[in-house]
Amino acid sequence: MSRLRWVTAGESHGPRLTAVVEGIPAGLALLAEDVDVDLARRQRGYGRGGRMKIETDRVEFTAGVRGGETLGSPIAMSIANRDYANWTDRMSPAPLPAPAEPLTRPRPGHADLAGGLKHDRHDLRDILERASARETASRTAIGAVSRKFLSAVGIDVFAHVVSVGPASIGPLTVHPSEIRARSRASDLACADPEAEARMKDAIRETAHAGDTLGGVFEVIATGCVPGLGSHVQWDRKLDGRLAQALMSIQAIKGVEIGAGFGAARVRGSEVHDAIAYDVGAHRFTRPTNRAGGLEGGITNGEPVVCRGAMKPIATLKRALGSVDVTTKEAYEAAFERSDVCAVAAASVVGEAMVCIVLADAVLEKFGGDSIRETVRNVDAYRHQLAEY
Ligand SMILES: Cc1cc2nc3c(=O)[nH]c(=O)nc-3n(C[C@H](O)[C@H](O)[C@H](O)COP(=O)(O)O)c2cc1C
């Protein structure tokens, strides 16, 4: 069913990351800078560790783009791991000059042990290199291409951080465009300056204690026509597709759409959104948007709103107990360079995943082998809706 097919490859300290996406129509203006801005945003954020200072990600298109425009063929992207130069003795694809010291102490909260057991690898680096959230750079690249496609049909996607540990934003009554602007200007992607100060205090205190923090981000998509997704089959429901996409991000443990879990605690009259009609604009509207823009797995024309809850970073300076997989002796888990809090970065990855899902849903409904064709199809549908 999926109209947009994509895959990522690459290890955290390997030579490069690779991302391939197929299904973007021909004729979309696309520059490396369009991708690099999102790659840079993913790397920033208050509370990040040392790696972010080593890497400055830059994308290279190796297929599917010519003269600054997409060709309609698969788009292949490559991002160099600049740190690889320091890892060739351990990460080279060719036989290693000397056996690398195996990493035998699995870190709790990571894929290390489960992956080692599953793949029969006793050097757990073989697992953690791929399980690392470094992979999210590739998703961010595919998200940026999807974002460029969505902008051609009037859809904008942005995210903001709503909580870090116990520090949460207050109710935001400002226009979505203001949330977007404030979030972009904040190094915690937070649209509430007072809450941002509390979040930073929490991160500082937690770092000092050798501990880590998680949090919640919200992704908002404006400009979606009613009718993306479908009610007719479980795997076509857009809410389900968004939930899977967000849940698949490393360390995301919960997803909400609209009022989410809060809807289960109050009465129906406080949850559902009344329907109104704007005669001048020829469109149905909602005074509230507690459904998060989705009813029956279909967009209803209001902004799509979803949230991802990130667990605290698992790599702790105050290490948890673990067991050496070779000797079976108890150890304190190995400490690899790590972030204290990466919710702001995760919010950029959340944006990317929502962009990918929405681009797929737009292509599913409107098709198009060229951007001109897709845009024409969307415009015709908008006319149809106005005449409904
Ligand atoms: C943007 C981002 C950055 C992350 N940075 C780190 C990090 O520096 N150290 C770490 O231990 N985990 C980090 N993680 C989380 C791990 O990748 C995650 O704990 C691991 O994949 C296991 O989580 P899971 O069981 O939810 O897959 C990060 C996650 C994201 C989304």
Side-chain angles (χ1 to χ4, degrees):
M1 197 63 65
S2 190
R3 284 289 311 254
L4 200 69
R5 297 200 294 162
W6 59 280
V7 69
T8 73
E11 277 67 46
S12 177
H13 299 96
R16 11 188 79 235
L17 303 176
T18 305
V20 179
V21 55
E22 184 193 334
I24 297 291
L28 177 71
L30 185 63
L31 303 175
E33 293 91 288
D34 295 325
V35 177
D36 288 346
V37 286
D38 281 356
L39 293 179
R41 288 173 57 231
R42 190 200 72 92
Q43 291 188 285
R44 283 197 290 266
Y46 193 86
R48 306 303 303 283
R51 172 116 197 205
M52 298 310 127
K53 297 185 183 80
I54 297 169
E55 307 277 346
T56 311
D57 287 332
R58 293 263 181 278
V59 78
E60 185 190 346
F61 291 117
T62 56
V65 186
R66 177 168 175 248
E69 279 194 5
T70 58
L71 300 175
S73 52
I75 298 169
M77 292 177 280
S78 181
I79 302 165
N81 283 327
R82 291 176 203 276
D83 207 15
Y84 175 60
N86 303 317
W87 285 80
T88 45
D89 57 332
R90 285 157 288 173
M91 290 301 296
S92 169
L96 302 175
E101 170 102 19
L103 201 153
T104 56
R105 300 175 187 180
R107 301 160 307 156
H110 284 275
D112 303 2
L113 180 58
L117 293 169
K118 174 179 169 64
H119 291 279
D120 194 25
R121 305 310 286 177
H122 293 258
D123 180 355
L124 302 176
R125 182 158 298 287
D126 289 350
I127 306 303
L128 73 86
E129 282 289 332
R130 178 61 184 161
S132 160
R134 175 82 186 125
E135 186 265 343
T136 60
S138 303
R139 301 198 204 195
T140 303
I142 296 170
V145 173
S146 305
R147 181 196 302 280
K148 198 74 200 285
F149 168 72
L150 291 174
S151 71
V153 295
I155 296 175
D156 183 41
V157 177
F158 58 92
H160 65 116
V161 169
V162 298
S163 69
V164 166
S168 302
I169 61 168
L172 279 177
T173 47
V174 295
H175 191 265
S177 62
E178 179 65 18
I179 297 177
R180 182 193 214 282
R182 288 192 197 174
S183 152
R184 288 285 165 99
S186 152
D187 60 358
L188 257 187
C190 181
D192 176 344
E194 187 271 326
E196 180 184 326
R198 283 187 284 112
M199 289 174 186
K200 286 184 174 172
D201 286 346
I203 292 171
R204 252 193 321 272
E205 283 163 24
T206 305
H208 192 66
D211 220 323
T212 59
L213 280 179
V216 176
F217 61 81
E218 181 170 88
V219 186
I220 301 173
T222 58
C224 296
V225 289
L228 300 177
S230 173
H231 64 292
V232 305
Q233 201 62 262
W234 69 272
D235 57 350
R236 295 181 61 191
K237 287 174 180 272
L238 195 61
D239 45 4
R241 288 151 66 179
L242 287 165
Q244 202 240 319
L246 289 172
M247 189 64 106
S248 76
I249 300 171
Q250 289 82 341
I252 299 306
K253 295 292 135 195
V255 177
E256 291 183 316
I257 308 276
F261 277 67
R265 289 191 282 270
V266 292
R267 294 182 175 177
S269 55
E270 296 171 59
V271 170
H272 301 290
D273 305 308
I275 299 172
Y277 191 75
D278 182 337
V279 178
H282 303 285
R283 64 179 287 262
F284 294 93
T285 60
R286 312 293 173 119
T288 57
N289 184 25
R290 295 178 285 224
L294 286 154
E295 286 168 305
I298 312 172
T299 52
N300 63 10
E302 297 299 316
V304 170
V305 182
C306 29
R307 276 180 292 281
M310 185 182 197
K311 71 181 182 181
I313 298 290
T315 308
L316 306 172
K317 276 207 182 109
R318 279 184 4 202
L320 295 174
S322 182
V323 173
D324 188 296
V325 294
T326 308
T327 66
K328 312 293 187 287
E329 282 172 19
Y331 280 100
E332 284 193 348
F335 179 74
E336 291 247 328
R337 177 184 50 210
S338 190
D339 299 334
V340 174
C341 178
V343 181
S347 76
V348 178
V349 182
E351 278 181 24
M353 294 305 289
V354 169
C355 284
I356 295 169
V357 171
L358 290 180
D360 184 39
V362 168
L363 286 165
E364 182 181 85
K365 177 147 179 62
F366 299 105
D369 293 308
S370 69
I371 275 293
R372 226 152 65 88
E373 189 179 6
T374 309
V375 169
R376 193 169 62 230
N377 293 347
V378 174
D379 286 346
Y381 179 67
R382 284 190 200 278
H383 278 107
Q384 176 188 313
L385 289 177
E387 286 165 8
Y388 176 85

